[in-house]
Amino acid sequence: MAVRIAIVGAGSGYMPGVIRGLLHRSADLAGSELVCHDTNAEHLELMARLARGMFAARGADFTVRTETTLKAALDGADFVFTTFRPGGLPGRHLDESIPLRHGVVGQETAGPGGFLMACRSVPVLLEIARVLEEVAPDAWIVNYTNPTNIVTDAVSRHTGARIIGLCDQNIGDTEMWAELLGLPADGLEIDWIGLNHATWAERVRLRGDDISAEVAARLATLGPPDAAATPHRDPIRMAEVGRALGVLVNSYSKYYFFHDDVVAELRAKGTTRAQDIMAMLSGYYAGIAEQAALPDPDPSGERGGGEHGEFAVDTICAIAGDEGRRMIVNTRNRGAIADLPDDAIVEVPAVVGRGGPTPLVMGGLPGPVRGLTQAVHAYERLAADAAVTGDERVALRALMAHPFVRSKRVAEAILAEGLAAHRADLPQFRGTPAAAEGVPRP
Ligand code: G6P
Ligand code: MN
């Protein structure tokens, strides 16, 4: 399957993991061409050098080209792999800190922080889709740019491009639950259903056998994991929430069910995740540069962990090779989840082949999280509409619809601060009614 893959955001710190993902399928993808694009020319050239070095050292038959304009990068692509962050980490820092000032969890994808990120990501994805119409109308966008579900929704409702939304969280969450429940991770399959970063599960198989009843029984008596062996709070909270609700929960569930505790912790911590990453990033890139200069580069401790790149490349192979592989992806519901509209973008098990993902029928959402998931969906739909149109009234509705936001005043304050802080990256919000009427912005 020799294909042309355009990578938009190829200078990203996640790129070494993508290179490893490509290596893991190098036999299947032999003869393929990677066209790398990034707005940061220095990081772009560095990652291209690293990719060439790693491919050469391991005998992988790939060619690597860099392009600095989007149109040249996308020209003739079979796949467009999007893995960029408009506004960069300084933008993420704002997303994580503005809501927090108003007593709301500040997170890059969940809640108002995710809303602000959607407003930056969506216009760029719409532009990619527009260029694709011209230079590669049959290409598949394989999207990691967050919030992946809102981006996928905007692109699929507003453009003719084909898109599949990715997140590898389900892999890590499955491993986490294997440990919590005392089950082997190998061969464990959990049917995560819901919305990206808001999935739940009741159905579990181990090497093909349905063990849902056994899992429910273990969950009902699940004690907290050994705190000494689990210094991190996340699994403790997942176990607690999962037991209380009687369903397996994803790692973002803490933001919903421990909202105020998380706000207090984030405030006490004093730095945002974006700041923590920025502090390590120059050392990280220096390490990559050192490795790229070696005959057999092996960047360790890369961003994104093991599964991230493999998951994306497996998705590309599933489509290119018409593999009919079962994967958990973000796509149109089409009846897969009974309690959400058919045109909602949901995260569900799907069979992925040449025609893209076909979601599998999963039935209803677990009762205790049905209403929450429906509320988050209502927010996501409004957020996509606001991000596409730049209509501030719709933006306010989106924030007011989000379960984290419990006051109109708070929604208004976060919106005003967020739009002002990100103004340079939000072309669609210029010329909104307020601006047209000459009302000064904060
Ligand atoms: C997980 C999520 C991604 C998110 C990432 C952030 O992988 O599924 O959607 O972007 O974490 O990780 P970071 O190291 O940047 O905080
Ligand atoms: Mn994710």
Side-chain angles (χ1 to χ4, degrees):
M1 308 186 279
V3 293
R4 180 178 293 172
I5 306 171
I7 305 179
V8 183
S12 147
Y14 282 88
M15 189 60 183
V18 176
I19 298 168
R20 277 191 213 285
L22 287 158
L23 282 168
H24 120 105
R25 298 298 298 264
S26 61
D28 301 300
L29 290 171
S32 292
E33 184 185 20
L34 308 177
V35 187
C36 299
H37 172 76
D38 202 284
T39 51
N40 182 323
E42 191 193 327
H43 288 171
L44 173 64
E45 288 309 324
L46 170 60
M47 292 299 177
R49 212 159 58 235
L50 178 74
R52 289 188 192 108
M54 288 175 74
F55 295 152
R58 292 160 173 83
D61 177 16
F62 292 130
T63 55
V64 180
R65 174 156 65 86
T66 58
E67 291 289 353
T68 48
T69 71
L70 190 60
K71 191 166 172 182
L74 303 188
D75 196 8
D78 298 299
F79 294 93
V80 180
F81 176 47
T82 42
T83 172
F84 56 85
R85 176 188 293 285
L89 287 159
R92 176 173 175 178
H93 168 68
L94 295 168
D95 296 345
E96 290 171 336
S97 50
I98 292 171
L100 205 54
R101 281 206 285 277
H102 299 280
V104 176
V105 157
Q107 215 281 327
E108 57 153 0
T109 61
F115 170 79
L116 295 172
M117 187 176 187
C119 290
R120 299 197 301 285
S121 297
V122 164
V124 184
L125 261 297
L126 294 182
E127 170 67 3
I128 288 173
R130 195 193 60 71
V131 175
L132 281 180
E133 251 168 57
E134 223 179 294
V135 300
D138 294 330
W140 271 96
I141 301 174
V142 177
N143 179 65
Y144 257 135
T145 290
N146 269 328
T148 191
N149 46 346
I150 297 176
V151 161
T152 302
D153 185 32
V155 168
S156 49
R157 273 194 297 134
H158 293 275
T159 79
R162 306 201 279 184
I163 183 165
I164 179 166
L166 299 192
C167 172
D168 64 354
Q169 198 69 42
N170 68 85
I171 301 172
D173 286 351
T174 297
E175 282 166 8
M176 180 88 79
W177 276 107
E179 199 158 321
L180 289 172
L181 294 166
L183 292 166
D186 194 31
L188 188 68
E189 257 192 296
I190 301 184
D191 282 345
W192 293 104
I193 66 168
L195 306 167
N196 179 241
H197 294 180
T199 49
W200 325 97
E202 292 174 309
R203 263 202 301 267
V204 184
R205 288 173 302 283
L206 184 59
R207 290 180 210 103
D209 295 334
D210 189 329
I211 56 160
S212 310
E214 167 67 18
V215 165
R218 288 193 193 199
L219 193 57
T221 58
L222 190 65
D226 175 13
T230 319
H232 206 251
R233 279 208 184 90
D234 279 8
I236 299 175
R237 286 180 169 161
M238 283 166 80
E240 188 177 338
V241 174
R243 178 179 173 168
L245 297 174
V247 298
L248 304 184
V249 299
N250 72 90
S251 40
Y252 285 69
S253 57
K254 68 177 178 190
Y255 297 119
Y256 295 95
F257 297 105
F258 287 91
H259 179 275
D260 297 354
D261 309 61
V262 172
V263 165
E265 284 161 22
L266 290 173
R267 283 181 163 164
K269 180 167 166 277
T271 57
T272 60
R273 172 80 184 142
Q275 286 177 313
D276 300 345
I277 296 169
M278 282 189 276
M280 60 70 113
L281 219 52
S282 66
Y284 176 80
Y285 277 101
I288 300 281
E290 260 170 44
Q291 284 296 323
L294 300 176
D296 187 0
D298 186 14
S300 57
E302 65 213 20
R303 299 257 299 129
E307 300 92 18
H308 167 268
E310 291 184 9
F311 187 65
V313 176
D314 282 344
T315 308
I316 289 173
C317 288
I319 297 174
D322 196 21
E323 290 173 355
R325 180 180 177 135
R326 189 181 168 118
M327 308 182 85
I328 294 178
V329 297
N330 289 266
T331 188
R332 282 243 170 276
N333 187 19
R334 290 167 274 174
I337 299 179
D339 312 307
L340 291 170
D342 279 353
D343 66 348
I345 295 293
V346 294
E347 187 163 304
V348 277
V351 172
V352 185
R354 185 163 323 281
T358 304
L360 297 170
V361 175
M362 289 287 132
L365 290 160
V369 291
R370 183 184 303 136
L372 172 63
T373 312
Q374 287 168 333
V376 175
H377 167 66
Y379 147 77
E380 287 179 355
R381 179 49 67 95
L382 289 162
D385 287 344
V388 169
T389 61
D391 186 329
E392 287 192 28
R393 289 161 305 182
V394 181
L396 182 64
R397 279 177 210 152
L399 291 182
M400 288 172 69
H402 198 285
F404 292 179
V405 179
R406 282 163 292 185
S407 136
K408 175 170 176 276
R409 296 281 171 267
V410 165
E412 286 167 337
I414 294 174
L415 183 61
E417 277 180 42
L419 294 184
H422 289 298
R423 197 163 160 69
D425 291 313
L426 302 178
Q428 76 277 42
F429 281 94
R430 289 179 212 137
T432 55
E437 287 158 20
V439 176
R441 285 177 164 275

